[in-house]
Amino acid sequence: MTNGVWVLGDQLWTEQSALANCAEEKSQSQVIFIESLHHAQELPYHLQKLVLVWSAMRHFAQELEQAGWSVTYKIAEDFHSPLIEWIEQNKITELRVMTPSDRPFAKLIARLNLPCPVTFTPNNRFIWSDLDFHDWASKRKHLIMEDFYREGRQRFDILMVGNQPAGGRWNFDRDNRKPPKGKLTIPEALWFEPDDITTDVINSLNSAAFKSSHEYWQLQPFRWGVTRQQALQVLEFFIQTRLSDFGPYQDAMVTKEQTMWHAMLSPYLNLGLIHPLEVVEAAQQAYSQNQQWELSSVEGFIRQVLGWREYMHGIYIYMGEDYPERNWFNHTQPLPDFYWTGQTQMNCLHQILTQVKEIGYAHHIQRLMVLNNFGLIAGISPQELEDWFHAAFIDAYDWVMQTNVIGMGQFADGGAIASKPYAASANYINNMSDYCKHCIYNPRSRTGDNACPFNFFYWDFLARHYDKLKNNHRMSLILRNLERIPPEELQQIRQLAAAWHEA
Ligand code: FAD
Ligand code: SF4
């Protein structure tokens, strides 16, 4: 009897359940990794994401080999042919795969029609198991993230004093919204030089054919980590240099500051190089050794990982398969070309899109309140926007994309995740960034030649969807402001919005 383990590109961890299941029978087990060129061409993925995933897979395959596993590494057009060949050559009697985090990939495996049975082992890459989330969710009418987060704090005993939250409050969010005023001393980020394996992947992607189908993105310099050891270094670096000040400027955006105080851990967490519980526990432990740190910073960070990340994953599993098709506002405008090229006179979008082209990363507020917000208020199709996010980001996967873009970002699920749409005018961006200072548009104008598009689209969005929004009590104040706009001015606003789409 020979067991086969197929390690997927986002399951790069020795404790992942399919490998762990065979660990005691290493000598009767075979492991395979497959880089599928066809899969990589399905969307115009960021070239640095392909480097990250393939280099991390090659490094992990090498680590397994050094640990005594028999490893086959295939670079092929598709997944099917190399699997069949490997199963037959090694007389594999059962193929074990850890349940993929992404639904479409699980379906792809189920359709492969392989010559041996396939066993899916439970996905253990998240803190909450799928079953436990289901159990939590099925007992509730409203799936509120704050309730889930509090349950997680208690269940995993994180920042608790007995059965009370440390500091007497569960949530210090209101302390964490400082605008970036004055001179800020922002810590450097930790980057890495590519080694030989990474350089090989970069060279293979440098071929003209590949680059032309993924032309929007910058391949080099590639500076992401590609091993668990480097992921742990990023975690340690974050804890030592950024965690204590993570909170106050969590929502702030500053020109040319790509990462601010953010952790930059999502690429590694999403590949499985590092486990979310070890991240949360490391932050908690650092706080216990540095009680002078602001609890609001540590709690704010832990809420992102133990709260938001786990919640978004749980909701993805819990929601039906029609979730990605939802479009509550019936938005159908095509995605503007500048999302790909970065060429727009709107300075906030230009700065962030240029950064995404360079490194495949933007922090949460840049994603939510600029890239996503514009799509929402301009009425762009949520599905087109999701495809773009999926292609553009180094950390994008189906499970995290759907809930963040379709749900939180576009409110296309009608409010299953967010209690109100994350729509904002230039006022928010002007307050939370320095982008408007260097823009040809005026963040204070909503009509006239240099009116900021975020302004006329914002009021146009509220006016267009007045009937859908009027029953949401969190929108009442905003809608009262809409009602105060004189009809002639509102008409000009709406004309500017319509003209922008026609231009
Ligand atoms: P930090 O701000 O330092 O936060 C720490 C960690 O918390 C992150 O590494 C991440 O693992 C987790 N986290 C925080 N918020 C979320 C969230 N809403 N969903 C999931 N994890 C969260 N995250 C991705 O991992 N991949 C994506 O493709 C992605 N796309 C997004 C698209 C939109 C429109 C929005 C609004 C958010 C998206 N996010 C995505 C969530 C979040 O923006 C990123 O996880 C975060 O910016 C990653 O950077 P960081 O590691 O420096 O995060
Ligand atoms: Fe963006 Fe408008 Fe500010 Fe320009 S003025 S940076 S378009 S919000």
Side-chain angles (χ1 to χ4, degrees), residues 246 262-266 269-270 301 304-305 308-309 312 361-364 367-368 372 389 393 395-397 400-401 404-405 408:
F246 177 82
H262 290 272
M264 298 168 70
L265 280 167
S266 52
L269 279 162
N270 295 356
F301 173 72
Q304 304 309 310
V305 185
W308 280 110
R309 186 172 191 272
M312 290 308 211
Y361 173 93
H363 71 65
H364 188 68
R367 297 185 203 205
L368 184 64
N372 161 81
F389 267 102
F393 278 86
D395 54 10
Y397 297 88
V400 67
M401 210 83 272
N404 271 300
V405 180
M408 179 189 250

Side-chain angles (χ1 to χ4, degrees), residues 305-499:
V305 185
L306 179 63
W308 280 110
R309 186 172 191 272
E310 291 295 315
Y311 174 76
M312 290 308 211
H313 173 251
I315 296 277
Y316 170 77
I317 300 289
Y318 190 69
M319 291 290 175
E321 291 195 22
D322 70 331
Y323 192 80
E325 302 316 318
R326 295 198 197 174
N327 190 351
W328 197 65
F329 289 122
N330 293 322
H331 282 167
T332 54
Q333 293 291 346
L335 185 78
D337 240 24
F338 63 71
Y339 272 78
W340 299 103
T341 63
Q343 285 163 15
T344 163
Q345 292 191 304
M346 288 180 273
N347 189 43
C348 50
L349 281 160
H350 170 70
Q351 293 296 336
I352 299 170
L353 289 164
T354 306
Q355 170 183 328
V356 172
K357 281 165 86 74
E358 283 170 13
I359 57 171
Y361 173 93
H363 71 65
H364 188 68
I365 292 302
Q366 294 175 311
R367 297 185 203 205
L368 184 64
M369 300 310 294
V370 182
L371 301 176
N372 161 81
N373 177 26
F374 186 82
L376 174 66
I377 59 181
I380 290 161
S381 148
Q383 285 68 35
E384 282 201 32
L385 193 72
E386 190 200 336
D387 279 351
W388 177 80
F389 267 102
H390 203 146
F393 278 86
I394 192 109
D395 54 10
Y397 297 88
D398 196 55
W399 70 265
V400 67
M401 210 83 272
Q402 284 187 16
T403 41
N404 271 300
V405 180
I406 301 288
M408 179 189 250
Q410 294 298 300
F411 206 77
D413 60 7
I417 290 180
S419 55
K420 74 177 181 59
Y422 281 96
S425 67
N427 199 22
Y428 178 90
I429 298 173
N430 195 21
N431 190 34
M432 294 310 293
S433 79
D434 63 355
Y435 297 138
C436 302
K437 280 190 211 148
H438 313 285
C439 186
I440 65 156
Y441 296 110
N442 182 347
R444 287 182 196 84
S445 303
R446 54 191 181 195
T447 54
D449 284 348
N450 64 349
C452 168
F454 277 85
N455 287 340
F456 55 75
F457 275 130
Y458 174 69
W459 294 107
D460 178 62
F461 165 79
L462 295 176
R464 262 185 290 135
H465 296 300
Y466 185 90
D467 286 342
K468 281 200 156 165
L469 297 172
K470 70 180 184 219
N471 297 325
N472 182 331
H473 74 277
R474 293 201 64 205
M475 297 300 292
S476 338
L477 186 69
I478 294 165
L479 292 179
R480 276 208 295 281
N481 289 338
L482 173 72
E483 286 157 11
R484 283 194 202 106
I485 299 179
E488 315 76 61
E489 191 185 347
L490 189 58
Q491 199 190 357
Q492 284 171 29
I493 287 173
R494 305 211 57 185
Q495 277 167 355
L496 280 172

